Amino acid sequence: MLKETLKNLYENDYIIGIITSRTMEEYHELDEELSNISYCFKSIITSDKIDNPKPNKDSMDKLCSELHCSSEDVIYIG
């Protein structure tokens, strides 16, 4: 159901990003299910992209910077 929801949001022009505690290499090694929907994410923030990964707010700051938005514009599902 999550996969369909993300596709629906993407197809309706919502901008979607992901924040993960995995490194980019670990992210790419994830199961096929996630790799099939990676195109939906305009930004992927991995732990190796920032100095202080989640739960520190640096992850959200990096996401907002890449998506050109403020944290008030974000719905965070964790």
Side-chain angles (χ1 to χ4, degrees), residues 20-25 45-51 53:
T20 178
S21 56
R22 292 181 167 95
T23 65
M24 186 57 81
E25 182 178 335
I45 305 301
T46 55
S47 63
D48 53 342
K49 280 189 171 184
I50 53 175
D51 293 330

Side-chain angles (χ1 to χ4, degrees), residues 4-48:
E4 291 78 21
T5 301
L6 290 171
K7 283 183 176 183
N8 188 311
L9 290 169
Y10 173 80
E11 290 167 359
N12 285 284
D13 297 323
Y14 284 88
I15 298 171
I16 305 169
I18 187 170
I19 297 172
T20 178
S21 56
R22 292 181 167 95
T23 65
M24 186 57 81
E25 182 178 335
E26 292 168 331
Y27 173 82
H28 286 298
E29 292 173 354
L30 291 176
D31 62 69
E32 190 175 314
E33 180 101 10
L34 184 57
S35 64
N36 287 337
I37 59 169
S38 283
Y39 70 91
C40 293
F41 304 117
K42 186 170 182 180
S43 178
I44 301 169
I45 305 301
T46 55
S47 63
D48 53 342

Side-chain angles (χ1 to χ4, degrees), residues 58-72:
D58 289 358
S59 301
M60 180 63 77
D61 292 343
K62 177 75 170 170
L63 179 75
C64 291
S65 173
E66 289 193 3
L67 297 180
H68 307 287
C69 66
S70 71
S71 59
E72 291 82 25

